[in-house]
Amino acid sequence: MTKFILVSGGVVSGIGKGVIASSTGLLLKTAGLKVTAIKIDPYMNIDAGTMRPTEHGEVYVLNDGGEVDLDLGNYERYLDVTLSRDNNITTGKIYQEVIEKERRGEYLGKTVQIVPHVTNAIQDWIDRVSKIPVDNSGQEPDLCIVELGGTVGDIESAPFIEAMRQFQFRVGHDNFALIHVSLVPDMHGEQKTKPTQTTVHALRGLGLLPDLIACRLLGPKPLEKATKEKISMFCHVASEQVVGVHDVTSVYHVPLLLESQGIVDYLRKRLNLPALKITEEMISKGLSLGVKWKSMTKSQERLFDQVKIVLVGKYTDLKDSYMSVIKALEHSAFRVKHELIIQARHALRWVESSDLEPQTQVSDPAKYHDAWRSVVGAGGILVPGGFGQRGTEGMILAIKWAREQKIPFLGICLGFQMAVLEWARSVLGVHDATSAEFQPDATHPFIVFMPEISRTHMGGTMRLGLRPTIFQPCHLTTNGILATTTTTTWSNIRQLYGNADKVWERHRHRYEVNPTEVARLEASGLTFVGKDERGERMQILELRDHPFFVGVQPHPEFCSRPLNPSPPFLGFVAASCGASLLEEQQEEQLRSFKPPHPEGVMVSEEVLRARTRERPVNSGVTSMRASPEMA
């Protein structure tokens, strides 16, 4: 029988339920358990695909093309698992399923209600998904972490709370535990417990009793003993069931913080984990994972060298807009033993790409010069993904600086496309080169709409999910003579992938490099070292006479892991530290690179496309309305 741990939140949202849920899962994985995770988002959207990044944080993409909440990224990174779109439950998905059943007559004429039909649908979904294998073992997970988004008391989460109240009896006491995360504010040096008392009271009134209360403190001060005892007394739990989670140097220390407070020992007793038949192999793997994680966090505390990166993006108002990008940079910085410094104008901000554009010099000179000061002083320049025209001219200017000044550069998705436009304008002299996304009737569209993508539906209609990239032979012209060489001899990015012939990364885009322009782009020196299986779609570009200039159409940040950094990010960060460090990491990758994907998913694009259910173009439709994601 699968064990379940529900992680709920109270007082305010956004205080770290996802990190606490992931950390708990990691600790149980170090004990030898096979762990999966489910995130419940009570909003009405079917998925996160049509949301603005500044509305709800980044849209995280899974292997099967699922566009999901960013917390699933935390689960995959901490647990080193591969989840599916069904691991993210939304109110929209549940209602859609219930209504479709009603239309098919599956309720046999009964009145369809929130209880029992919607609550049963929620329980059935959780029960089904919890049994799906998520790692290379191919076996059913031992334990499922279920995170309930929002806070207890929200109107939209009421059906899910009721469903989980029923679910605890469905699976049995020994198979269900609840961790409630609550804010403990510090007011003038005094830790206040009343908000936690109130939210636990509300939770108990709804029929759920917390087994552990994780007290979130916004600051470096740990939970005081007196505070812990007061919460224990007024929330009807033992003192050992109250744990403190204060701010630590990085989120990767949170598992160790929870472990030091006995959370694993408590859950082992509460869920009767010894009754599970854990093999010696799994126990050994768990112990090894624990040793590696502790080694990573300890080495992070002793970093003295710094690497300064400038992120030139268009969604800089909310730091979660680029969550996976930042995490991938952190993973790479851990590997090269440097402290990551994200250069910005002020704390928790990156360089807004529109601030680099000439019109900002007129409207706000101080902002313009501050932005350029950050770019000019960077050790590396990264341009991430996005949609729409706003800020793209600033991206192109930053890319031009990186190319001409030999500054390490990494462009992702939109950043990859902007690198193509910068080359077309600066090297080919096509000054009006642009993207059909910005100007549908452009004279020289070097970026065009992908022919198979729907023009009428936004949600789930892009080129989504895991896709293969084939490394290509390189065509070079020397003294007028065309020669063909292999990219294994010079390509930085290929060596970082262990000189593999084929690699797999996750995609999320509607536009691609114009196939009719590829020949003259490559003839002028812009090398597309990675293409799709047919050789028709450009997926990785690289400059040979540059320390590190790489653009990738997919989003490799989604496959980065703390103990297995993404190769493009690893190379970029290493190059930003110095050429010798890049060479060192290339040699290490040639020896030890291991793809983060299960063997069964690294298959042809045709098979993968069928799994992600890409929608074809509807005939007779010629335009697509703008959506919030393109702002």
Side-chain angles (χ1 to χ4, degrees):
M1 179 69 184
T2 304
K3 309 286 186 178
F4 294 88
I5 297 177
L6 174 64
V7 180
S8 62
V11 186
V12 295
S13 61
I15 56 173
K17 291 193 303 295
V19 172
I20 292 171
S22 302
S23 299
T24 302
L26 173 70
L27 289 174
L28 293 170
K29 191 165 183 177
T30 63
L33 275 67
K34 299 181 291 293
V35 182
T36 186
I38 295 172
K39 173 67 187 297
I40 297 174
D41 285 302
Y43 47 66
M44 283 298 298
N45 304 61
I46 297 296
D47 59 33
T50 56
M51 290 186 183
R52 250 189 225 104
T54 53
E55 177 83 14
H56 204 69
E58 77 171 1
V59 177
Y60 188 80
V61 178
L62 301 169
N63 277 359
D64 68 352
E67 297 172 287
V68 296
D69 184 83
L70 58 81
D71 275 318
L72 272 79
N74 281 327
Y75 306 155
E76 287 202 333
R77 284 187 286 267
Y78 277 72
L79 304 178
D80 193 20
V81 294
T82 301
L83 304 177
S84 73
R85 66 180 78 228
D86 287 346
N87 289 83
N88 193 191
I89 303 175
T90 69
T91 298
K93 285 182 180 179
I94 295 296
Y95 278 28
Q96 183 181 54
E97 180 177 277
V98 170
I99 290 169
E100 286 178 354
K101 283 185 177 181
E102 186 274 332
R103 291 291 84 187
R104 293 193 300 267
E106 293 187 22
Y107 294 115
L108 303 177
K110 293 182 179 178
T111 301
V112 180
Q113 297 175 295
I114 301 298
V115 180
H117 302 100
V118 169
T119 52
N120 282 348
I122 294 167
Q123 295 177 70
D124 292 344
W125 191 302
I126 292 171
D127 194 38
R128 172 177 58 85
V129 174
S130 69
K131 294 177 170 57
I132 299 173
V134 292
D135 56 24
N136 275 318
S137 73
Q139 299 175 358
E140 184 177 315
D142 301 308
L143 183 138
C144 178
I145 305 284
V146 181
E147 180 191 348
L148 176 59
T151 57
V152 171
D154 293 344
I155 292 175
E156 57 265 32
S157 65
F160 295 100
I161 291 286
E162 172 58 21
M164 298 314 295
R165 185 194 69 79
Q166 298 173 23
F167 192 70
Q168 64 184 326
F169 300 109
R170 177 170 171 171
V171 299
H173 180 73
D174 284 354
N175 299 316
F176 183 91
L178 170 59
I179 300 175
H180 190 60
V181 183
S182 178
L183 178 68
V184 176
D186 189 309
M187 298 184 66
H188 311 294
E190 181 183 359
Q191 294 178 350
K192 294 292 186 179
T193 66
K194 188 62 71 176
T196 298
Q197 294 179 44
T198 302
T199 184
V200 170
H201 178 76
L203 186 66
R204 291 171 66 87
L206 294 169
L208 287 169
L209 281 64
D211 294 289
L212 287 167
I213 300 175
C215 300
R216 183 73 178 90
L217 300 107
L218 303 181
K221 185 178 178 181
L223 185 69
E224 296 174 350
K225 183 179 180 181
T227 307
K228 183 174 183 177
E229 290 176 350
K230 189 173 183 179
I231 291 172
S232 168
M233 179 184 298
F234 287 100
C235 294
H236 196 63
V237 294
S239 181
E240 67 170 353
Q241 293 172 261
V242 181
V243 297
V245 185
H246 57 273
D247 287 350
V248 287
T249 52
S250 87
V251 294
Y252 304 105
H253 286 75
V254 174
L256 307 183
L257 178 63
L258 293 174
E259 184 183 40
S260 68
Q261 297 176 77
I263 188 174
V264 176
D265 291 337
Y266 175 80
L267 290 173
R268 185 177 282 116
K269 291 181 293 184
R270 172 63 183 78
L271 292 172
N272 192 22
L273 296 181
L276 295 172
K277 296 179 180 179
I278 305 174
T279 65
E280 289 297 325
E281 180 186 4
M282 292 303 298
I283 293 173
S284 176
K285 284 183 178 179
L287 292 172
S288 175
L289 172 61
V291 169
K292 290 177 181 177
W293 194 276
K294 289 177 181 177
S295 175
M296 178 189 73
T297 54
K298 286 180 180 178
S299 64
Q300 183 190 356
E301 294 172 351
R302 298 190 295 269
L303 300 179
F304 300 103
D305 296 324
Q306 296 180 338
V307 54
K308 296 181 179 180
I309 303 296
V310 160
L311 189 152
V312 181
K314 55 187 294 181
Y315 307 124
T316 58
D317 289 340
L318 181 67
K319 65 178 182 178
D320 284 353
S321 300
Y322 298 114
M323 171 73 80
S324 292
V325 171
I326 299 304
K327 296 304 178 186
L329 290 170
E330 289 177 353
H331 304 162
S332 300
F334 294 163
R335 172 70 68 84
V336 300
K337 296 180 173 57
H338 277 61
E339 181 184 3
L340 177 67
I341 302 296
I342 304 293
Q343 284 203 174
R345 296 190 307 277
H346 49 82
L348 299 178
R349 297 274 297 191
W350 300 279
V351 173
E352 177 70 31
S353 56
S354 57
D355 292 350
L356 300 171
E357 297 173 356
Q359 58 266 36
T360 305
Q361 186 176 16
V362 176
S363 62
D364 195 335
K367 185 183 289 186
Y368 174 83
H369 289 294
D370 282 349
W372 271 108
R373 189 178 299 114
S374 291
V375 170
V376 170
I381 296 173
L382 188 152
V383 179
F387 294 89
Q389 187 171 9
R390 182 182 62 81
T392 53
E393 293 300 320
M395 293 179 177
I396 290 173
L397 290 170
I399 293 168
K400 181 180 176 68
W401 173 266
R403 181 178 60 82
E404 293 181 343
Q405 302 301 318
K406 306 293 186 183
I407 305 298
F409 165 77
L410 177 62
I412 302 167
C413 198
L414 182 63
F416 162 85
Q417 295 174 3
M418 293 307 99
V420 172
L421 295 188
E422 191 280 321
W423 184 272
R425 293 180 186 182
S426 302
V427 178
L428 292 180
V430 185
H431 301 297
D432 60 346
T434 188
S435 169
E437 180 180 6
F438 314 148
Q439 189 179 337
D441 57 349
T443 305
H444 296 105
F446 276 72
I447 306 297
V448 296
F449 195 81
M450 295 170 63
E452 73 270 30
I453 302 302
S454 172
R455 295 177 181 267
T456 60
H457 291 74
M458 282 290 174
T461 60
M462 291 180 273
R463 187 175 188 230
L464 287 165
L466 201 68
R467 295 288 183 271
T469 294
I470 312 298
F471 281 107
Q472 307 292 307
C474 176
H475 303 289
L476 301 175
T477 303
T478 306
N479 297 325
I481 300 174
L482 183 64
T484 301
T485 66
T486 174
T487 49
T488 58
T489 60
W490 68 271
S491 171
N492 286 322
I493 190 65
R494 184 167 185 179
Q495 291 181 46
L496 289 160
Y497 277 107
N499 260 342
D501 295 323
K502 181 187 290 191
V503 296
W504 283 260
E505 296 287 3
R506 296 174 182 175
H507 288 249
R508 186 177 186 250
H509 60 105
R510 290 191 179 92
Y511 293 82
E512 64 175 336
V513 177
N514 190 342
T516 64
E517 300 289 358
V518 170
R520 66 166 166 166
L521 285 167
E522 292 200 306
S524 63
L526 186 65
T527 307
F528 291 103
V529 297
K531 301 179 182 180
D532 72 346
E533 289 178 322
R534 297 181 179 180
E536 299 171 350
R537 189 156 281 156
M538 306 302 110
Q539 299 190 163
I540 303 178
L541 67 81
E542 185 170 9
L543 292 183
R544 184 169 185 170
D545 58 346
H546 193 286
F548 190 90
F549 191 99
V550 171
V552 292
Q553 182 64 77
H555 288 266
E557 68 269 24
F558 294 143
C559 297
S560 186
R561 304 288 184 265
L563 300 174
N564 187 14
S566 162
F569 281 87
L570 178 60
F572 169 65
V573 171
S576 300
C577 297
S580 61
L581 202 50
L582 174 60
E583 292 177 6
E584 178 184 314
Q585 291 304 315
Q586 287 173 328
E587 292 174 1
E588 177 62 28
Q589 289 291 96
L590 288 171
R591 289 192 300 268
S592 62
F593 171 68
K594 181 181 179 181
H597 316 293
E599 290 289 337
V601 304
M602 292 187 289
V603 293
S604 71
E605 177 150 1
E606 183 179 357
V607 173
L608 291 167
R609 186 184 294 116
R611 291 177 181 175
T612 56
R613 303 192 299 274
E614 288 182 354
R615 294 186 185 178
V617 173
N618 287 350
S619 59
V621 181
T622 58
S623 64
M624 178 183 285
R625 295 174 62 88
S627 77
E629 68 181 357
M630 295 183 179

